[in-house]
Amino acid sequence: RYPVRRRQITAGVVPDVMVNGQQLQLPGGITPGVALAFSDPKSAWQVTVTETAVALETSEYSTREDFCSRAAEIFAAIATVVLPPVVDRVGIRYIDRLTGDAVAKVHEYVLPQISGLVGSVAAPLSLHHSFTQSQIEIGDGERMLVRSGLLPPGGAFDPALPATAVESWVLDMDVFTWQAGFAFEPDELTQRLRRYAETVYAFFRFATTEAFQDAHRGEPAPIAGERR
């Protein structure tokens, strides 16, 4: 499934630091690690494996079952190569981004609690950015983080979300475990992902209007890697 393979050097838990376009040296004691990236020829699907994590990303999301079935294959492959002794975190994250004329319709597309001040600031004033964040307890040791907001050109609130040259509005939903220390069992992990995917989808349907769903149903992601 993922014949394109690349090896990247990472800085472990400490990200690269850029100041005025110049990359600073890593602090002493930080040992670079290796990330192995496997993708399809179009880079629509990518699997990234590091010493402590595995991630599946896609910009061509179609169905929850497709995503979870692919994740099940990856979990089984990891367990075959080297069974991790413990799992500290598992989660699933969806990111939707609106640009262009759709930004002006945000107040029509989502609940007021999600849209923030978009559509509420009138001339001669203009809204530069607006950001909301909520964390919801959904089960024992399980939470959902919901972030949404209007971003100016070049703006971003997370390294996983690439900045764009134009204004955009983002809905970011992340369901995850926050209690560490359970066994790496591929079937159980896959069932968790399926349940988390259903939770995210239920929240998406709650937070958005039929106008949003009708306008963007089946629409491909305009920016590679932005929807996971």
Side-chain angles (χ1 to χ4, degrees):
R1 282 186 182 269
Y2 316 102
V4 181
R5 304 177 181 183
R6 295 183 173 89
R7 181 185 298 266
Q8 302 171 333
I9 302 300
T10 68
V13 298
V14 179
D16 293 337
V17 179
M18 300 291 290
V19 176
N20 295 330
Q22 300 295 318
Q23 183 173 348
L24 302 183
Q25 290 185 342
L26 294 174
I30 300 299
T31 302
V34 175
L36 303 178
F38 306 84
S39 66
D40 63 359
K42 296 190 302 179
S43 295
W45 290 85
Q46 177 170 298
V47 180
T48 303
V49 181
T50 70
E51 184 179 354
T52 59
V54 57
L56 172 65
E57 304 177 58
T58 181
S59 58
E60 290 190 357
Y61 176 82
S62 56
T63 66
R64 300 190 298 278
E65 182 55 35
D66 182 26
F67 187 93
C68 292
S69 295
R70 288 172 179 261
E73 294 174 351
I74 295 164
F75 292 149
I78 293 293
T80 299
V81 175
V82 54
L83 182 64
V86 71
V87 177
D88 287 339
R89 185 186 189 278
V90 60
I92 191 165
R93 181 180 182 187
Y94 288 72
I95 302 175
D96 289 283
R97 167 177 266 163
L98 300 177
T99 57
D101 295 339
V103 174
K105 299 180 180 180
V106 166
H107 66 287
E108 303 174 14
Y109 283 165
V110 300
L111 294 177
Q113 299 93 322
I114 303 296
S115 63
L117 290 178
V118 178
S120 301
V121 178
L125 304 179
S126 62
L127 185 63
H128 180 265
H129 71 275
S130 179
F131 182 81
T132 66
Q133 176 172 308
S134 302
Q135 190 166 116
I136 305 168
E137 197 91 24
I138 63 171
D140 185 18
E142 300 173 330
R143 295 178 180 176
M144 177 167 62
L145 177 65
V146 179
R147 298 185 291 184
S148 61
L150 179 71
L151 299 175
F157 55 78
D158 190 288
L161 184 68
T164 64
V166 297
E167 181 182 60
S168 64
W169 187 85
V170 174
L171 175 60
D172 180 359
M173 299 164 288
D174 186 4
V175 178
F176 58 93
T177 57
W178 62 274
Q179 288 183 342
F182 51 95
F184 189 101
E185 298 178 354
D187 290 343
E188 196 278 334
L189 292 176
T190 303
Q191 289 305 314
R192 278 181 182 261
L193 282 189
R194 286 196 170 97
R195 181 160 50 85
Y196 291 176
E198 292 171 358
T199 299
V200 170
Y201 180 68
F203 184 86
F204 171 80
R205 292 299 299 267
F206 160 76
T208 60
T209 65
E210 290 187 6
F212 181 96
Q213 296 158 24
D214 290 341
H216 300 93
R217 184 175 289 112
E219 183 179 83
I223 300 171
E226 75 167 32
R227 193 163 41 173
R228 305 171 66 186

